[in-house]
Amino acid sequence: MKAIEVTGKIDSQGNLVLDKPIQGTTYPHQVRIIVLVPEQAEAEEVDPDDTPVEEIKASLRRALQQSKAGQTRPISELWDTIDAESINFGF
């Protein structure tokens, strides 16, 4: 058996609605569906590493405006500000 992981929601009629269609292959036979529903506590958890999309977009807009205005620094200067000893690569 082959597993394909997708996300979706269950609508008010109990139908499974996928976030994106499964691409590449058709399956003319019946398939088995296992639905994993997060517990209430899991659904409310916020990953501290997940930056909100709006915050990322705002940061990119600021960076683009700064670049257009010529407010840039040489890459060598940027590297000088990074303390390699303080970076945790997770090794």
Side-chain angles (χ1 to χ4, degrees):
M1 203 169 269
K2 178 180 179 179
I4 299 172
E5 183 174 342
V6 295
T7 58
K9 295 185 171 99
I10 299 174
D11 67 16
S12 59
Q13 287 80 38
N15 296 308
L16 178 62
V17 181
L18 301 180
D19 291 335
K20 296 178 184 176
I22 299 172
Q23 299 290 330
T25 309
T26 59
Y27 297 96
H29 309 319
Q30 271 195 327
V31 296
R32 292 176 55 197
I33 310 295
I34 299 173
V35 178
L36 302 174
V37 180
E39 297 292 333
Q40 186 64 26
E42 291 176 64
E44 294 174 1
E45 284 181 15
V46 176
D47 186 344
D49 293 332
D50 284 346
T51 304
V53 172
E54 289 306 315
E55 188 177 326
I56 293 170
K57 288 179 179 180
S59 177
L60 289 171
R61 283 189 209 98
R62 281 191 305 275
L64 181 60
Q65 290 171 346
Q66 289 172 340
S67 177
K68 286 180 178 180
Q71 299 171 340
T72 61
R73 294 187 283 170
I75 191 74
S76 60
E77 184 180 315
L78 295 174
W79 281 116
D80 290 342
T81 62
I82 296 175
D83 179 11
E85 303 249 341
S86 67
I87 298 175
N88 179 3
F89 290 103
F91 297 110

Coordinates of all heavy atoms in Angstrom, one line a residue:
M1 N 0.8 -1.2 0.0 CA 0.0 0.0 0.0 C 0.9 1.2 0.0 O 1.9 1.3 0.6 CB -0.9 0.0 1.2 CG -2.1 0.8 1.1 SD -3.3 0.5 2.4 CE -4.3 -0.8 1.7
K2 N 0.5 2.3 -0.7 CA 1.2 3.5 -0.8 C 0.5 4.6 0.0 O -0.7 4.6 0.0 CB 1.3 3.9 -2.3 CG 2.0 5.2 -2.6 CD 1.9 5.5 -4.1 CE 2.6 6.8 -4.4 NZ 2.6 7.1 -5.8
A3 N 1.3 5.4 0.6 CA 0.6 6.5 1.4 C 0.9 7.9 0.8 O 2.0 8.1 0.3 CB 1.2 6.5 2.8
I4 N -0.1 8.7 0.8 CA 0.0 10.1 0.3 C -0.6 10.9 1.4 O -1.7 10.8 1.8 CB -0.9 10.3 -1.0 CG1 -0.4 9.3 -2.1 CG2 -0.8 11.7 -1.5 CD1 -1.3 9.3 -3.4
E5 N 0.2 11.9 1.8 CA -0.2 12.8 2.9 C -0.7 14.1 2.3 O 0.0 14.7 1.5 CB 0.9 13.1 3.9 CG 0.4 13.9 5.0 CD 1.5 14.1 6.1 OE1 2.5 13.3 6.1 OE2 1.4 15.0 6.9
V6 N -1.9 14.4 2.6 CA -2.5 15.7 2.2 C -3.3 16.3 3.4 O -3.5 15.7 4.4 CB -3.5 15.5 1.0 CG1 -2.8 15.0 -0.2 CG2 -4.7 14.5 1.4
T7 N -3.6 17.6 3.2 CA -4.4 18.3 4.3 C -5.7 18.7 3.7 O -5.9 18.8 2.5 CB -3.6 19.5 4.8 OG1 -3.4 20.4 3.7 CG2 -2.3 19.1 5.5
G8 N -6.7 18.9 4.6 CA -8.0 19.3 4.1 C -8.9 19.6 5.3 O -8.4 19.6 6.5
K9 N -10.1 19.7 5.0 CA -11.1 20.0 6.1 C -12.3 19.1 5.8 O -12.5 18.6 4.7 CB -11.5 21.4 6.0 CG -10.4 22.4 6.4 CD -10.9 23.8 6.4 CE -9.8 24.7 7.0 NZ -9.1 25.4 6.0
I10 N -13.1 18.9 6.9 CA -14.4 18.2 6.8 C -15.5 19.2 6.8 O -15.6 20.0 7.8 CB -14.5 17.1 7.9 CG1 -13.4 16.1 7.7 CG2 -15.9 16.5 7.8 CD1 -13.3 15.1 8.8
D11 N -16.3 19.3 5.8 CA -17.3 20.4 5.7 C -18.5 20.0 6.5 O -18.6 18.9 7.1 CB -17.7 20.7 4.2 CG -18.4 19.6 3.5 OD1 -18.9 18.6 4.2 OD2 -18.5 19.6 2.3
S12 N -19.5 20.9 6.6 CA -20.7 20.7 7.4 C -21.5 19.5 7.0 O -22.3 19.0 7.8 CB -21.6 21.9 7.4 OG -22.0 22.2 6.1
Q13 N -21.4 19.0 5.8 CA -22.1 17.8 5.3 C -21.3 16.5 5.6 O -21.7 15.4 5.2 CB -22.4 17.9 3.8 CG -23.5 18.8 3.5 CD -23.0 20.3 3.4 OE1 -21.9 20.5 3.0 NE2 -23.8 21.2 3.9
G14 N -20.1 16.7 6.2 CA -19.2 15.5 6.4 C -18.3 15.1 5.3 O -17.7 14.0 5.3
N15 N -18.2 15.9 4.2 CA -17.4 15.6 3.1 C -16.0 16.1 3.4 O -15.7 17.1 3.9 CB -17.9 16.3 1.9 CG -19.3 15.8 1.5 OD1 -19.5 14.6 1.3 ND2 -20.2 16.8 1.3
L16 N -15.0 15.2 2.9 CA -13.6 15.6 3.0 C -13.3 16.5 1.8 O -13.5 16.1 0.7 CB -12.8 14.3 3.0 CG -11.2 14.5 3.0 CD1 -10.8 15.2 4.3 CD2 -10.6 13.2 2.9
V17 N -12.8 17.7 2.1 CA -12.4 18.7 1.1 C -10.9 18.9 1.2 O -10.4 19.4 2.2 CB -13.2 20.0 1.3 CG1 -12.8 21.0 0.2 CG2 -14.7 19.7 1.3
L18 N -10.1 18.5 0.2 CA -8.7 18.6 0.2 C -8.3 20.0 -0.1 O -8.9 20.7 -0.9 CB -8.0 17.7 -0.8 CG -8.3 16.2 -0.6 CD1 -7.6 15.4 -1.7 CD2 -7.9 15.7 0.7
D19 N -7.2 20.5 0.6 CA -6.6 21.8 0.3 C -6.1 21.9 -1.1 O -6.2 23.0 -1.7 CB -5.5 22.1 1.3 CG -6.0 22.3 2.7 OD1 -7.2 22.6 2.9 OD2 -5.3 22.1 3.7
K20 N -5.5 20.9 -1.6 CA -5.0 20.8 -3.0 C -5.3 19.5 -3.6 O -5.3 18.5 -2.8 CB -3.5 21.0 -3.0 CG -3.0 22.4 -2.5 CD -1.5 22.4 -2.5 CE -1.0 23.7 -1.8 NZ 0.4 23.8 -1.7
P21 N -5.6 19.4 -4.9 CA -5.8 18.1 -5.5 C -4.5 17.2 -5.5 O -3.4 17.8 -5.4 CB -6.2 18.4 -6.9 CG -5.9 19.9 -7.1 CD -5.7 20.5 -5.8
I22 N -4.7 15.9 -5.4 CA -3.6 15.0 -5.5 C -3.2 14.9 -7.0 O -4.0 14.5 -7.8 CB -4.0 13.6 -5.0 CG1 -4.4 13.8 -3.5 CG2 -2.9 12.6 -5.1 CD1 -5.0 12.5 -2.9
Q23 N -2.0 15.3 -7.3 CA -1.6 15.4 -8.7 C -0.8 14.2 -9.1 O -0.2 13.5 -8.3 CB -0.7 16.6 -8.9 CG -1.3 18.0 -8.6 CD -2.4 18.3 -9.6 OE1 -2.3 18.0 -10.8 NE2 -3.4 19.1 -9.2
G24 N -0.8 13.9 -10.4 CA 0.2 12.9 -11.0 C -0.4 11.6 -11.3 O 0.0 10.9 -12.2
T25 N -1.3 11.1 -10.5 CA -1.8 9.7 -10.7 C -3.3 9.6 -10.4 O -3.7 10.3 -9.4 CB -1.0 8.7 -9.8 OG1 0.4 8.9 -9.9 CG2 -1.3 7.3 -10.1
T26 N -4.0 8.8 -11.1 CA -5.4 8.6 -10.8 C -5.5 7.2 -10.2 O -4.7 6.3 -10.4 CB -6.2 8.7 -12.1 OG1 -5.8 7.7 -13.0 CG2 -6.2 10.0 -12.7
Y27 N -6.5 7.1 -9.3 CA -6.7 5.8 -8.6 C -8.1 5.4 -8.9 O -9.0 5.8 -8.2 CB -6.4 6.0 -7.1 CG -5.0 6.3 -6.9 CD1 -4.6 7.7 -6.7 CD2 -4.0 5.4 -6.8 CE1 -3.3 8.0 -6.4 CE2 -2.7 5.7 -6.6 CZ -2.3 7.0 -6.4 OH -1.0 7.3 -6.2
P28 N -8.4 4.5 -9.9 CA -9.7 4.2 -10.2 C -10.4 3.2 -9.2 O -11.6 3.1 -9.2 CB -9.6 3.4 -11.5 CG -8.2 2.9 -11.5 CD -7.4 3.9 -10.7
H29 N -9.6 2.6 -8.3 CA -10.1 1.7 -7.3 C -10.4 2.5 -6.0 O -10.0 3.7 -5.9 CB -9.2 0.6 -7.0 CG -8.7 -0.1 -8.2 ND1 -9.5 -0.4 -9.3 CD2 -7.4 -0.6 -8.6 CE1 -8.8 -1.0 -10.2 NE2 -7.5 -1.1 -9.8
Q30 N -11.1 1.9 -5.1 CA -11.3 2.5 -3.8 C -10.0 2.8 -3.1 O -9.1 2.0 -3.2 CB -12.2 1.7 -2.9 CG -13.7 1.9 -3.1 CD -14.5 1.3 -2.0 OE1 -14.1 0.3 -1.4 NE2 -15.6 1.9 -1.6
V31 N -9.9 3.8 -2.3 CA -8.8 4.1 -1.5 C -9.2 4.2 -0.1 O -10.4 4.4 0.2 CB -8.1 5.5 -1.9 CG1 -7.6 5.4 -3.3 CG2 -9.0 6.6 -1.7
R32 N -8.3 3.9 0.9 CA -8.6 4.0 2.3 C -8.1 5.4 2.8 O -7.1 5.9 2.4 CB -7.8 2.9 3.0 CG -8.3 1.5 2.7 CD -7.5 0.5 3.4 NE -7.5 0.7 4.8 CZ -6.6 0.1 5.6 NH1 -5.7 -0.8 5.1 NH2 -6.6 0.3 6.9
I33 N -8.9 6.0 3.6 CA -8.7 7.3 4.1 C -8.6 7.2 5.6 O -9.5 6.7 6.3 CB -9.8 8.3 3.8 CG1 -10.2 8.3 2.3 CG2 -9.5 9.7 4.3 CD1 -9.1 8.8 1.4
I34 N -7.5 7.7 6.2 CA -7.3 7.8 7.6 C -7.3 9.3 8.0 O -6.5 10.0 7.4 CB -6.0 7.1 8.1 CG1 -6.1 5.7 7.8 CG2 -5.8 7.4 9.6 CD1 -4.8 4.9 8.0
V35 N -8.2 9.7 8.8 CA -8.3 11.2 9.1 C -7.7 11.4 10.5 O -8.2 10.7 11.5 CB -9.8 11.6 9.1 CG1 -9.9 13.1 9.5 CG2 -10.4 11.4 7.7
L36 N -6.7 12.2 10.6 CA -6.1 12.5 11.9 C -6.6 13.9 12.3 O -6.3 14.9 11.6 CB -4.6 12.5 11.7 CG -3.9 11.2 11.2 CD1 -2.4 11.4 11.0 CD2 -4.2 10.1 12.2
V37 N -7.3 14.0 13.4 CA -7.9 15.3 13.8 C -7.1 15.7 15.0 O -6.9 14.9 16.0 CB -9.3 15.1 14.2 CG1 -9.9 16.4 14.7 CG2 -10.1 14.5 13.0
P38 N -6.5 16.9 15.0 CA -5.7 17.4 16.2 C -6.6 17.6 17.4 O -7.8 18.0 17.3 CB -5.2 18.7 15.7 CG -6.0 19.2 14.6 CD -6.6 17.9 14.0
E39 N -6.1 17.3 18.5 CA -6.8 17.5 19.8 C -6.9 19.0 19.9 O -6.1 19.8 19.3 CB -6.0 16.9 21.0 CG -5.9 15.4 20.9 CD -7.2 14.7 21.2 OE1 -8.1 15.3 21.8 OE2 -7.3 13.6 20.7
Q40 N -7.8 19.5 20.8 CA -8.0 21.0 20.9 C -6.7 21.7 21.3 O -6.3 22.7 20.7 CB -9.0 21.2 22.0 CG -9.4 22.7 22.2 CD -10.1 23.3 20.9 OE1 -10.7 22.5 20.1 NE2 -9.9 24.5 20.7
A41 N -5.9 21.1 22.2 CA -4.6 21.7 22.6 C -3.7 21.8 21.4 O -3.0 22.8 21.3 CB -4.0 21.0 23.8
E42 N -3.6 20.8 20.6 CA -2.7 20.8 19.5 C -3.1 21.8 18.4 O -2.3 22.5 17.8 CB -2.7 19.4 18.8 CG -2.1 18.3 19.5 CD -2.3 17.0 18.8 OE1 -1.7 16.9 17.7 OE2 -3.0 16.1 19.3
A43 N -4.4 22.0 18.2 CA -4.9 22.9 17.3 C -4.6 24.4 17.7 O -4.5 25.2 16.8 CB -6.4 22.8 17.1
E44 N -4.5 24.6 19.0 CA -4.3 26.0 19.5 C -2.8 26.3 19.6 O -2.4 27.4 19.8 CB -4.9 26.1 20.8 CG -6.5 26.1 20.7 CD -7.1 26.1 22.1 OE1 -6.4 26.2 23.1 OE2 -8.4 26.1 22.1
E45 N -1.9 25.2 19.5 CA -0.5 25.4 19.6 C 0.0 26.3 18.5 O -0.4 26.2 17.4 CB 0.3 24.1 19.6 CG 0.2 23.3 20.8 CD 1.0 22.0 20.7 OE1 1.8 21.9 19.8 OE2 0.8 21.2 21.6
V46 N 0.9 27.2 18.9 CA 1.5 28.1 17.9 C 3.0 27.8 17.9 O 3.7 27.8 18.9 CB 1.3 29.6 18.2 CG1 2.0 30.5 17.2 CG2 -0.2 29.9 18.2
D47 N 3.5 27.5 16.7 CA 5.0 27.2 16.6 C 5.7 28.5 16.6 O 5.5 29.4 15.8 CB 5.2 26.5 15.3 CG 6.7 26.0 15.1 OD1 7.5 26.5 15.9 OD2 6.9 25.2 14.3
P48 N 6.6 28.7 17.6 CA 7.3 30.0 17.7 C 8.2 30.3 16.5 O 8.6 31.5 16.3 CB 8.1 29.9 19.0 CG 8.2 28.4 19.2 CD 7.0 27.8 18.6
D49 N 8.5 29.3 15.7 CA 9.3 29.5 14.5 C 8.5 29.9 13.3 O 9.1 30.2 12.3 CB 10.1 28.2 14.2 CG 11.2 27.9 15.2 OD1 11.6 28.8 15.9 OD2 11.5 26.7 15.4
D50 N 7.2 29.8 13.4 CA 6.3 30.2 12.3 C 6.1 31.7 12.3 O 5.3 32.2 13.2 CB 5.0 29.5 12.3 CG 5.1 28.0 11.9 OD1 6.2 27.7 11.3 OD2 4.2 27.2 12.1
T51 N 6.7 32.4 11.4 CA 6.5 33.9 11.3 C 5.2 34.1 10.5 O 5.0 33.5 9.5 CB 7.7 34.6 10.7 OG1 8.8 34.3 11.4 CG2 7.5 36.1 10.6
P52 N 4.3 34.9 11.0 CA 3.0 35.2 10.3 C 3.3 35.7 8.9 O 4.3 36.5 8.7 CB 2.3 36.2 11.1 CG 2.9 36.1 12.5 CD 4.3 35.6 12.3
V53 N 2.5 35.3 7.9 CA 2.7 35.6 6.5 C 2.7 37.1 6.3 O 3.6 37.7 5.6 CB 1.7 35.0 5.6 CG1 1.8 35.5 4.2 CG2 1.8 33.5 5.6
E54 N 1.8 37.8 7.0 CA 1.8 39.3 6.8 C 3.0 40.0 7.3 O 3.5 40.9 6.7 CB 0.5 39.9 7.6 CG -0.8 39.5 6.9 CD -0.8 39.9 5.4 OE1 -0.4 41.0 5.1 OE2 -1.2 39.1 4.6
E55 N 3.6 39.4 8.4 CA 4.9 40.0 8.9 C 6.0 39.8 7.9 O 6.9 40.6 7.6 CB 5.2 39.3 10.2 CG 6.4 39.9 10.9 CD 6.7 39.3 12.3 OE1 5.7 38.9 12.9 OE2 7.9 39.2 12.7
I56 N 6.1 38.6 7.2 CA 7.1 38.3 6.2 C 6.9 39.2 5.0 O 7.9 39.8 4.5 CB 7.0 36.8 5.8 CG1 7.4 35.9 6.9 CG2 7.9 36.6 4.5 CD1 7.1 34.5 6.7
K57 N 5.6 39.4 4.6 CA 5.4 40.3 3.4 C 5.8 41.7 3.8 O 6.4 42.4 2.9 CB 3.9 40.3 3.1 CG 3.5 39.0 2.4 CD 2.0 39.1 2.1 CE 1.5 37.8 1.4 NZ 0.0 37.9 1.1
A58 N 5.5 42.2 5.0 CA 5.9 43.6 5.4 C 7.4 43.7 5.4 O 8.0 44.7 4.9 CB 5.3 43.9 6.7
S59 N 8.1 42.7 5.9 CA 9.6 42.7 5.9 C 10.2 42.8 4.5 O 11.1 43.5 4.2 CB 10.1 41.5 6.6 OG 11.5 41.5 6.6
L60 N 9.6 42.0 3.6 CA 10.0 42.0 2.2 C 9.8 43.3 1.5 O 10.6 43.8 0.7 CB 9.4 40.8 1.4 CG 9.8 39.4 1.8 CD1 9.0 38.4 1.1 CD2 11.3 39.2 1.4
R61 N 8.6 43.9 1.8 CA 8.3 45.3 1.2 C 9.4 46.3 1.7 O 9.9 47.1 0.9 CB 6.9 45.7 1.6 CG 5.8 45.1 0.8 CD 4.5 45.7 1.1 NE 3.4 44.7 0.9 CZ 2.8 44.0 1.9 NH1 3.1 44.2 3.1 NH2 1.9 43.1 1.6
R62 N 9.7 46.3 3.0 CA 10.7 47.2 3.6 C 12.0 47.0 2.9 O 12.7 47.9 2.5 CB 10.8 47.0 5.1 CG 9.7 47.7 5.9 CD 10.1 47.7 7.4 NE 10.4 46.4 7.9 CZ 9.5 45.5 8.4 NH1 8.2 45.9 8.4 NH2 9.9 44.4 8.9
A63 N 12.4 45.7 2.7 CA 13.7 45.4 2.1 C 13.8 45.9 0.7 O 14.8 46.4 0.2 CB 14.0 43.9 2.2
L64 N 12.7 45.7 -0.1 CA 12.6 46.2 -1.4 C 12.7 47.7 -1.5 O 13.5 48.2 -2.3 CB 11.3 45.7 -2.1 CG 11.2 46.1 -3.6 CD1 12.3 45.5 -4.4 CD2 9.8 45.6 -4.1
Q65 N 12.0 48.4 -0.6 CA 12.1 49.8 -0.6 C 13.5 50.3 -0.3 O 14.0 51.2 -0.9 CB 11.1 50.4 0.4 CG 9.6 50.2 0.0 CD 8.6 50.6 1.1 OE1 9.0 50.7 2.2 NE2 7.4 50.7 0.7
Q66 N 14.1 49.7 0.7 CA 15.5 50.0 1.1 C 16.4 49.8 -0.1 O 17.3 50.6 -0.4 CB 15.9 49.3 2.3 CG 15.2 49.7 3.6 CD 15.6 48.8 4.7 OE1 16.0 47.6 4.5 NE2 15.3 49.3 5.9
S67 N 16.3 48.7 -0.8 CA 17.1 48.4 -1.9 C 16.9 49.4 -3.0 O 17.9 49.9 -3.6 CB 16.8 47.0 -2.4 OG 17.6 46.7 -3.6
K68 N 15.7 49.8 -3.4 CA 15.4 50.7 -4.4 C 16.0 52.1 -4.0 O 16.4 52.9 -4.9 CB 13.9 50.9 -4.6 CG 13.3 49.7 -5.4 CD 11.8 49.9 -5.6 CE 11.2 48.8 -6.4 NZ 9.8 49.0 -6.6
A69 N 16.0 52.4 -2.7 CA 16.5 53.7 -2.3 C 18.1 53.7 -2.1 O 18.7 54.7 -1.7 CB 15.9 54.1 -0.9
G70 N 18.7 52.6 -2.4 CA 20.1 52.5 -2.4 C 20.7 52.3 -0.9 O 21.8 52.4 -0.7
Q71 N 19.8 51.9 -0.1 CA 20.2 51.7 1.3 C 20.6 50.2 1.5 O 19.9 49.4 2.1 CB 19.0 52.0 2.3 CG 18.5 53.4 2.2 CD 17.2 53.6 3.0 OE1 16.5 52.7 3.2 NE2 17.0 54.9 3.3
T72 N 21.8 49.9 0.9 CA 22.3 48.6 1.0 C 23.7 48.6 1.6 O 24.3 49.6 1.8 CB 22.4 48.0 -0.4 OG1 23.3 48.8 -1.2 CG2 21.0 47.9 -1.1
R73 N 24.2 47.4 2.0 CA 25.5 47.3 2.6 C 26.2 46.2 1.8 O 25.6 45.2 1.4 CB 25.4 46.9 4.1 CG 24.8 48.0 4.9 CD 25.0 47.7 6.4 NE 23.9 46.8 6.7 CZ 23.9 46.1 7.9 NH1 24.8 46.4 8.8 NH2 22.9 45.3 8.2
P74 N 27.6 46.3 1.7 CA 28.3 45.2 1.1 C 28.1 43.9 1.9 O 28.1 43.9 3.1 CB 29.8 45.7 1.1 CG 29.7 47.1 1.5 CD 28.4 47.4 2.2
I75 N 28.1 42.8 1.2 CA 27.9 41.5 1.8 C 29.0 41.2 2.8 O 28.8 40.6 3.9 CB 27.8 40.3 0.8 CG1 27.3 39.0 1.4 CG2 29.1 40.1 0.1 CD1 25.9 39.0 1.8
S76 N 30.2 41.7 2.5 CA 31.4 41.4 3.5 C 31.1 42.1 4.8 O 31.4 41.6 5.9 CB 32.7 42.0 2.9 OG 32.5 43.4 2.6
E77 N 30.4 43.2 4.8 CA 30.0 43.9 6.0 C 29.0 43.1 6.8 O 29.0 43.0 8.0 CB 29.5 45.3 5.7 CG 29.2 46.2 6.9 CD 28.7 47.5 6.6 OE1 29.2 48.2 5.6 OE2 27.7 47.9 7.2
L78 N 28.1 42.5 6.1 CA 27.1 41.7 6.7 C 27.7 40.5 7.4 O 27.3 40.1 8.5 CB 26.0 41.3 5.7 CG 25.1 42.4 5.1 CD1 24.3 41.8 4.0 CD2 24.3 43.1 6.2
W79 N 28.6 39.9 6.8 CA 29.3 38.7 7.3 C 30.0 39.0 8.6 O 30.1 38.2 9.5 CB 30.2 38.0 6.3 CG 29.5 37.1 5.3 CD1 29.4 37.3 4.0 CD2 28.7 36.0 5.6 NE1 28.6 36.4 3.4 CE2 28.2 35.5 4.4 CE3 28.4 35.3 6.8 CZ2 27.4 34.4 4.3 CZ3 27.6 34.1 6.7 CH2 27.1 33.7 5.5
D80 N 30.6 40.2 8.6 CA 31.3 40.7 9.8 C 30.4 40.8 11.1 O 30.9 40.6 12.2 CB 32.0 42.0 9.6 CG 33.1 42.0 8.6 OD1 33.6 40.8 8.3 OD2 33.5 43.0 8.0
T81 N 29.1 41.0 10.9 CA 28.2 41.1 12.0 C 27.7 39.8 12.5 O 27.1 39.7 13.5 CB 27.0 42.0 11.6 OG1 26.3 41.3 10.6 CG2 27.5 43.4 11.2
I82 N 28.0 38.7 11.8 CA 27.6 37.4 12.2 C 28.6 36.7 13.1 O 29.8 36.6 12.7 CB 27.3 36.5 11.0 CG1 26.1 37.0 10.2 CG2 27.0 35.0 11.5 CD1 25.8 36.3 8.9
D83 N 28.2 36.3 14.3 CA 29.1 35.6 15.2 C 29.0 34.1 15.0 O 28.0 33.6 15.5 CB 28.8 36.0 16.6 CG 29.7 35.4 17.6 OD1 30.7 34.8 17.2 OD2 29.4 35.4 18.8
A84 N 29.9 33.5 14.3 CA 29.8 32.1 13.9 C 29.7 31.2 15.2 O 29.1 30.2 15.1 CB 30.9 31.7 13.0
E85 N 30.3 31.7 16.3 CA 30.3 30.8 17.5 C 28.9 30.8 18.1 O 28.6 29.9 18.8 CB 31.3 31.4 18.5 CG 32.7 31.5 17.9 CD 33.6 30.5 18.6 OE1 33.3 30.0 19.7 OE2 34.7 30.2 18.0
S86 N 28.1 31.8 17.8 CA 26.8 31.8 18.5 C 25.7 31.2 17.6 O 24.5 31.1 18.1 CB 26.4 33.3 18.8 OG 26.1 34.0 17.6
I87 N 26.0 30.8 16.4 CA 25.0 30.1 15.5 C 24.9 28.7 15.9 O 25.9 27.9 16.0 CB 25.4 30.3 14.1 CG1 25.4 31.7 13.7 CG2 24.4 29.5 13.2 CD1 25.9 32.0 12.3
N88 N 23.7 28.2 16.1 CA 23.4 26.8 16.5 C 22.8 26.1 15.2 O 21.7 26.4 14.8 CB 22.4 26.7 17.6 CG 22.1 25.3 18.0 OD1 22.7 24.4 17.4 ND2 21.2 25.1 18.9
F89 N 23.6 25.3 14.6 CA 23.2 24.6 13.4 C 22.5 23.3 13.7 O 22.0 22.6 12.8 CB 24.4 24.3 12.5 CG 25.0 25.5 11.9 CD1 26.2 26.0 12.4 CD2 24.4 26.1 10.8 CE1 26.7 27.2 11.8 CE2 25.0 27.3 10.2 CZ 26.1 27.8 10.7
G90 N 22.3 23.0 14.9 CA 21.5 21.8 15.3 C 22.3 20.5 15.1 O 21.7 19.4 15.0
F91 N 23.6 20.5 15.0 CA 24.4 19.3 14.8 C 24.7 18.7 16.2 O 24.9 19.3 17.1 CB 25.7 19.6 14.1 CG 25.5 20.1 12.7 CD1 25.8 21.4 12.4 CD2 25.0 19.3 11.7 CE1 25.7 21.9 11.1 CE2 24.9 19.7 10.4 CZ 25.2 21.0 10.1

